């Protein structure tokens, strides 16, 4: 590709610099518009400065990637409403052998969840459970939050849907979902193991000084039940779904997610498969999807 004119290089660099500043410092005093608006501003400046034409800007939009990311986020929201991430959070301390064991579990669970539902989703939904467990056990949360952040990034590289970069590579190279996973899974397994080992060595003294509480999980569950009990009774009094209806809907969402993953392995179009699963969940929810979609864009605007 030939280098553009000096004018385009300078104006393009200015537009990129503005975007970069707003992306790194979203609350910059002279223009506190955030990362999302900053990205749009940078793209528009590229067109205004005639670095690219409007046609080139439209052609640069990768609709399959956007469709898959949108569908994945919708699926993740409904999984969160089905308490899947709460169930994963319980695994962190279920019959735990100590703080080191808990750190290893966090690394494994966050890697798996980020590989299936993007690293952003894993971090957003699992952070609150890690903080709650750390408070329950009187443990400093830093080692576990670092384990979540690092393992989520490592685990997300295992699948095309783990992060947008993988998705672009998989779509443009036409690598199937199964081939992608088989090619990267060994490296991901080694990476998660080495990452957990490094974190344990770094925080060995902190993790060794922790006084374990045998009933930590039971107390955590009781606390969660006590927090959710009044809310559930209020919801029931307002005529929401009863317990069996919620369980059946939860089972349908789990089965739909498994079906989506099976579709990936069978070579179906990943974008349309994910959007289909998201639409099925919206229909099963049988209510206005507006609040769900509004919640979806909160993690996006914050990344």
């Amino acid at each position: 590709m030939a280098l553009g004119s000096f004018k385009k290089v300078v104006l393009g660099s200015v537009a990129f610099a503005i975007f970069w500043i707003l992306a790194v410092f979203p609350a910059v005093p002279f223009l506190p518009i955030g990362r999302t608006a900053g990205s749009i501003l940078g793209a528009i400046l590229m067109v205004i400065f005639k670095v690219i034409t409007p046609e080139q800007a439209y052609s640069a939009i990768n609709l399959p990637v956007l469709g898959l990311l949108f569908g994945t986020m919708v699926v993740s929201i409904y999984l969160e409403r089905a308490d899947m991430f709460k169930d994963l959070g319980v695994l962190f301390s279920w019959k735990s052998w100590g703080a080191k064991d808990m750190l290893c579990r966090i690394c494994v669970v966050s890697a798996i969840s980020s590989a299936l539902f993007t690293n952003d989703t894993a971090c957003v939904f699992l952070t609150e459970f890690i903080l709650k467990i750390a408070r329950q056990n009187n443990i400093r949360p830093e080692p576990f939050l670092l384990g979540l952040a690092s393992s989520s990034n490592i685990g997300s590289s295992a699948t095309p849907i783990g992060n947008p970069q993988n998705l672009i590579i998989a779509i443009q190279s036409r690598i199937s979902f199964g081939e992608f996973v088989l090619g990267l899974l060994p490296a991901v397994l080694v990476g998660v193991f080495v990452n957990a080992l490094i974190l344990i060595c770094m925080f060995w003294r902190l993790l060794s000084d922790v006084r374990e509480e045998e009933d930590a999980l039971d107390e955590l569950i009781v606390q969660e039940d006590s927090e959710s009990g009044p809310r559930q009774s209020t919801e029931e009094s307002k005529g929401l779904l009863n317990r069996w209806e919620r369980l059946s809907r939860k089972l349908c969402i789990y089965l739909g997610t498994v079906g989506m993953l099976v579709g990936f392995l069978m070579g179906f179009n990943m974008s349309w498969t994910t959007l289909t699963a998201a639409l099925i969940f919206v229909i099963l929810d049988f209510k206005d999807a507006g609040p769900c979609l509004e919640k979806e864009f909160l993690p996006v605007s914050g990344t």
Side-chain angles (χ1 to χ4, degrees):
M1 181 181 293
L3 184 65
S5 64
F6 179 76
K7 178 181 178 181
K8 284 188 175 182
V9 172
V10 173
L11 293 177
S13 299
V14 171
F16 178 79
I18 294 174
F19 152 73
W20 186 87
I21 292 174
L22 294 176
V24 177
F25 309 102
V28 63
F30 63 86
L31 197 62
I33 60 176
R35 293 186 177 93
T36 303
S39 301
I40 298 175
L41 175 61
I44 292 177
L45 288 178
M46 288 289 186
V47 177
I48 293 176
F49 293 160
K50 296 184 178 181
V51 178
I52 59 176
T53 64
E55 292 75 17
Q56 290 173 328
Y58 281 121
S59 64
I61 299 175
N62 197 321
L63 290 179
V65 172
L66 293 179
L68 182 53
L69 289 175
F70 176 80
T72 302
M73 291 177 184
V74 174
V75 170
S76 300
I77 291 295
Y78 280 100
L79 284 171
E80 188 267 341
R81 294 176 62 177
D83 293 333
M84 190 202 74
F85 293 100
K86 177 181 177 181
D87 296 338
L88 290 177
V90 172
L91 290 177
F92 292 156
S93 58
W94 180 65
K95 294 184 178 180
S96 176
W97 293 349
K100 301 182 186 68
D101 173 54
M102 192 183 303
L103 178 59
C104 292
R105 294 186 187 194
I106 290 174
C107 290
V108 172
V109 172
S110 58
I112 295 174
S113 58
S114 64
L116 299 178
F117 307 108
T118 75
N119 50 4
D120 293 340
T121 301
C123 291
V124 168
F125 289 117
L126 294 180
T127 297
E128 61 176 307
F129 298 108
I130 292 177
L131 292 174
K132 187 174 294 185
I133 291 172
R135 288 195 301 266
Q136 190 70 35
N137 291 274
N138 296 321
I139 308 174
R140 287 177 54 186
E142 289 87 345
F144 309 105
L145 293 177
L146 288 175
L148 171 64
S150 55
S151 296
S152 294
N153 281 279
I154 296 172
S156 67
S157 62
T159 64
I161 61 175
N163 58 61
Q165 297 86 349
N166 283 10
L167 185 56
I168 294 174
I169 293 173
I171 290 178
Q172 293 185 351
S173 63
R174 297 184 179 179
I175 301 175
S176 68
F177 188 90
E179 291 175 341
F180 197 102
V181 173
L182 291 177
L184 287 175
L185 185 59
V188 170
L189 293 176
V190 174
V192 173
F193 173 79
V194 173
N195 179 61
L197 185 62
I198 292 175
L199 289 173
I200 290 176
C201 293
M202 288 177 57
F203 297 99
W204 181 270
R205 179 174 298 180
L206 175 63
L207 297 175
S208 299
D209 292 340
V210 174
R211 179 182 177 183
E212 302 299 339
E213 300 180 12
E214 296 179 356
D215 298 330
L217 177 61
D218 295 335
E219 295 175 4
L220 176 62
I221 295 176
V222 170
Q223 179 182 356
E224 291 177 348
D225 291 341
S226 63
E227 293 175 354
S228 60
R231 183 171 64 253
Q232 290 178 354
S233 61
T234 303
E235 291 175 351
E236 291 174 358
S237 66
K238 293 179 180 179
L240 295 179
L241 298 174
N242 59 36
R243 182 172 180 270
W244 290 109
E245 288 175 327
R246 293 204 314 270
L247 288 176
S248 62
R249 184 165 298 177
K250 179 176 181 178
L251 178 61
C252 290
I253 291 177
Y254 281 8
L255 291 176
T257 304
V258 173
M260 181 186 72
L261 298 176
V262 171
F264 291 159
L265 294 175
M266 293 178 65
F268 295 165
N269 183 281
M270 289 187 289
S271 297
W272 287 105
T273 301
T274 308
L275 289 172
T276 301
L279 181 59
I280 291 174
F281 293 166
V282 171
I283 295 174
L284 288 175
D285 194 45
F286 207 68
K287 62 179 67 172
D288 183 12
C292 174
L293 298 181
E294 290 176 2
K295 184 178 181 180
E296 171 192 345
F297 289 104
L298 292 178
V300 177
S301 62
T303 55

